[in-house]
Every structure is written in structure tokens, then in C-alpha cells.
Amino acid sequence: MIIAVMSQFANAQAEYEKFPEEFTSIIISTVNKQGIPNASYAPFVMDDDKNIYIYVSGLATHTQNIQNHPFVSVLFIDDEIKTKQIFARRRLNFDCNANLIEMETEKWEEIVDKFQLRFGELISTLRSLPDFRILQLTPQTGRFVIGFGAAYNISNDNINQLVQITKDSLS
């Protein structure tokens, strides 16, 4: 029994590590000055530390919201067509802190090059637009749900490590 649980956990950990690679965009949730939520999406790139980078227009509602409240919830979720049970779609969410990457810095160049590799020639155009900026979303906490009874918190100490949710951990 213990071996089966350990194997299940190891499989979940491996699935967690690969899951974001299945996506090219994320769903993002922000709030405005009045605390009214806004759901949107953005193409992204991710580094090895699970920092998520979005390249967004300063004119977009979500970007303006982030400038006022630098907290963002992001969601990766399986397409409905890929799921056998709509109530148990695989999903990963992170609660993140957002920071602006200053334009024309070494870090900005590194990240915009990753966008260029991933999304192609459109990024050359976006580079020339003065309102586009790169935001780094740094996960603080998260949850990975594989299905019924298969939910894991993301370790606060190590964002790359799952922690099994138990009945005791919910209180």
C-alpha cells in the first residue's frame, strides 16, 4: 500500500513538472482599483524556477490592474475536449507576485528572445511597440489537481515540489 502511494505521488510529481509545457497561454486573474476581478489570458514563457513571463500591452485591462495590485492568479487547465470528466479537469494554479522587467536590460533581452523563439516573428513587431512590457509572475503558492482525490499543494518552501493534500491539511 505504501509503495503504491509513493508511486502515485512520484507520478503526480512528474506530471506536475511537465504540465505547463502543454500550454502556450495562461488564464490570468487580476483586480482593479475597486477590487473588481478581471479574467483574461496571456501567452507566456517559463523559466526553470517556475517564474512565468507575460509580454503584454500596457493598454490592456489586466496590465493596468497588475500595475495597481501586483498580485495575479494564473491557471493552466486542460481543454474540455481532453477531459473524460468535466468536474475533474487537470489544472494547475499559482498565486503570484508580479514585477516589471525593465526594457532593454539584459534580463529583458533574455526573456524577449525566449518569446521570439516560442512565438516567432510577431515578437519583432511587439519589440518595437512602446506600450508592450514584460511582467515576471513569481509563484508564491499553488495547487495541482489531477482528478478526484488527487490534489496537491505546491510547497511554499520549494515551488517545484508537490505536497499531498490530506484531510488534516485542509483546516
Side-chain angles (χ1 to χ4, degrees), residues 9 12-13 16 142-144 150-166 169:
F9 183 80
Q13 180 68 42
Y16 166 63
R143 182 168 284 188
F144 184 48
Y152 302 86
N153 282 328
I154 311 301
S155 172
N156 295 350
D157 298 328
N158 178 357
I159 206 71
N160 290 306
Q161 183 62 50
L162 294 179
V163 177
Q164 177 75 51
I165 296 176
T166 63
S169 67

Side-chain angles (χ1 to χ4, degrees), residues 14-68:
E15 193 170 342
Y16 166 63
E17 291 168 12
K18 297 279 186 213
F19 190 64
E21 295 171 8
E22 297 178 24
F23 301 87
T24 55
S25 68
I26 52 173
I27 297 170
I28 59 177
S29 179
T30 61
V31 295
N32 68 12
K33 289 179 184 177
Q34 294 78 32
I36 298 170
N38 174 263
S40 189
Y41 86 99
F44 77 97
V45 296
M46 182 182 276
D47 67 20
D48 292 337
D49 295 323
K50 299 262 190 295
N51 291 305
I52 300 162
Y53 300 90
I54 57 176
Y55 201 12
V56 291
S57 169
L59 304 175
T61 300
H62 52 255
T63 306
Q64 293 172 23
N65 288 349
I66 292 168
Q67 289 172 336
N68 291 309

Side-chain angles (χ1 to χ4, degrees), residues 72-88:
V72 181
S73 182
V74 303
L75 177 67
F76 301 82
I77 188 165
D78 269 342
D79 193 310
E80 289 181 5
I81 203 158
K82 289 176 66 176
T83 189
K84 293 177 182 166
Q85 175 45 261
I86 196 66
F87 286 94

Side-chain angles (χ1 to χ4, degrees), residues 64-152:
Q64 293 172 23
N65 288 349
I66 292 168
Q67 289 172 336
N68 291 309
H69 298 283
F71 307 107
V72 181
S73 182
V74 303
L75 177 67
F76 301 82
I77 188 165
D78 269 342
D79 193 310
E80 289 181 5
I81 203 158
K82 289 176 66 176
T83 189
K84 293 177 182 166
Q85 175 45 261
I86 196 66
F87 286 94
R89 287 165 73 184
R90 279 187 322 160
R91 58 201 177 272
L92 168 63
N93 77 288
F94 289 120
D95 294 328
C96 303
N97 291 335
N99 292 296
L100 177 68
I101 303 296
E102 293 294 328
M103 289 183 78
E104 308 302 329
T105 62
E106 187 176 317
K107 177 77 169 183
W108 185 88
E109 292 289 344
E110 172 192 334
I111 300 304
V112 81
D113 287 347
K114 287 183 179 187
F115 272 95
Q116 183 94 34
L117 282 172
R118 189 165 196 197
F119 297 104
E121 198 51 41
L122 173 64
I123 302 304
S124 294
T125 302
L126 298 183
R127 281 180 177 212
S128 68
L129 300 175
D131 68 301
F132 268 77
R133 57 210 54 185
I134 296 174
L135 297 170
Q136 177 179 324
L137 310 179
T138 304
Q140 303 301 305
T141 62
R143 182 168 284 188
F144 184 48
V145 178
I146 300 171
F148 291 119
Y152 302 86

